[in-house]
Amino acid sequence: MLTPMPMPKIVYGTAWKKERTADLVVKAVLSGFNGIDTACQPKHYREELVGQALSELSSKHSIPRSSLWIQTKYTALGGQDTSKPLPYDPKSSVESQVKSSVQTSLRQLGVEYVDGLLLHSPLPTYEQNTQAWRLLETFVADGKIRHLGISNIYQPSLLRKMIDFATVPVGIVQNRWWEGNGWDWEILDICREHGIRYQSFWTLSGNPTLLKSEPIIQLSESHNLTPQQVLFKFCQSIGITPLSGTTTEEHMAQDVAVESAPDFSPSEIRGLETALREAANRMG
């Protein structure tokens, strides 16, 4: 049986960091982050540079791998750039691709296990999803993966089907949480129902209007937080683990400080959640 998930309340996202990845991961951890998100997808991530950062953190800063939450992803061929080296033979079976991708991730990261392994998105068919998941479950049994999840899943019916067929439970869902999808309430509600940890990306960049809204500004002024900190704190208050992809040390420190900021009152949390749900309903 899986132990309770020791996932941090905020995770550093490494997408699109390119050659700056190692330096930024080191700075993020030294700023207080202890969760790192990456993917075995050279199109948008430099997983091997995350591994370089982990080595530097251990050797130069005495920060052991065991003190960090490390998660990566298996990205199917449709999400890869075929002009870049692939972590698997694109002509091989789904099971072979997943196995090769996981082995590549462990090697590139320089770790014996990862805390989380996510399907980067649902595969083209339900059968392929089940094949990929069953293969990943064997890595959990071998101690190479601690928790399984899926990213970019916006069909409630598919998530419920995955929850039903999974032997190793769906432990993580990582989705866009933004104005464009009405803040993904239906998926989030399923996660709450089943004890799944919901991770959000585009939390700041996808919510420019929300960050300028009256409720956020009022909370910012009354709690002496930036609007960005208010949004992260609100997410944490309703069971969301936000990803931060900032590239400045100032914002890294501000993002990590959110966890220790005084909690919002139940009425403040309820008021903002109600406002967002109503806005989502108006969007249709």
Side-chain angles (χ1 to χ4, degrees), residues 40 47-52 54-55 72 85-88 99-114 144:
C40 198
E47 189 180 54
E48 78 283 3
L49 294 184
V50 174
Q52 180 180 313
L54 297 179
S55 177
T72 189
L86 296 175
Y88 49 73
K99 182 177 181 180
S100 179
S101 180
V102 174
Q103 291 171 336
T104 298
S105 290
L106 293 171
R107 183 179 68 252
Q108 291 191 145
L109 291 168
V111 298
E112 295 183 357
Y113 69 94
V114 290
K144 301 297 184 182

Side-chain angles (χ1 to χ4, degrees), residues 17-199:
K17 302 301 188 292
K18 300 183 179 179
E19 68 280 354
R20 299 184 64 195
T21 299
D23 178 61
L24 288 170
V25 169
V26 169
K27 287 178 177 176
V29 172
L30 295 181
S31 295
F33 281 90
N34 59 358
I36 306 298
D37 173 82
T38 186
C40 198
Q41 184 203 34
K43 179 180 180 180
H44 294 312
Y45 295 81
R46 293 290 301 274
E47 189 180 54
E48 78 283 3
L49 294 184
V50 174
Q52 180 180 313
L54 297 179
S55 177
E56 180 177 337
L57 287 164
S58 176
S59 63
K60 295 184 179 180
H61 302 283
S62 299
I63 298 176
R65 183 267 172 272
S66 59
S67 69
L68 301 172
W69 170 281
I70 308 298
Q71 66 183 34
T72 189
K73 308 178 190 75
Y74 158 71
T75 307
L77 189 61
Q80 300 279 7
D81 180 348
T82 56
S83 70
K84 298 181 182 296
L86 296 175
Y88 49 73
D89 179 354
K91 297 180 181 179
S92 64
S93 67
V94 168
E95 292 94 336
S96 294
Q97 290 182 20
V98 172
K99 182 177 181 180
S100 179
S101 180
V102 174
Q103 291 171 336
T104 298
S105 290
L106 293 171
R107 183 179 68 252
Q108 291 191 145
L109 291 168
V111 298
E112 295 183 357
Y113 69 94
V114 290
D115 297 276
L117 196 296
L118 282 62
L119 298 180
H120 210 156
S121 63
L123 277 68
T125 69
Y126 178 71
E127 180 182 12
Q128 290 174 326
N129 282 317
T130 60
Q131 290 171 347
W133 197 268
R134 291 291 183 237
L135 192 285
L136 289 173
E137 289 180 332
T138 68
F139 280 95
V140 175
D142 291 340
K144 301 297 184 182
I145 299 172
R146 293 195 168 175
H147 303 281
L148 298 181
I150 185 167
S151 182
N152 295 295
I153 181 166
Y154 300 100
Q155 293 176 273
S157 60
L158 178 57
L159 179 55
R160 290 192 182 277
K161 288 176 71 174
M162 291 187 64
I163 291 169
D164 288 341
F165 80 65
T167 301
V168 174
V170 180
I172 307 164
V173 164
Q174 185 188 104
N175 273 2
R176 294 181 183 89
W177 190 82
W178 68 308
E179 299 168 1
N181 67 0
W183 301 285
D184 206 26
W185 288 112
E186 195 167 359
I187 295 293
L188 178 56
D189 286 342
I190 294 173
C191 290
R192 286 169 159 177
E193 177 187 347
H194 291 275
I196 299 168
R197 292 291 292 272
Y198 183 103
Q199 297 179 353

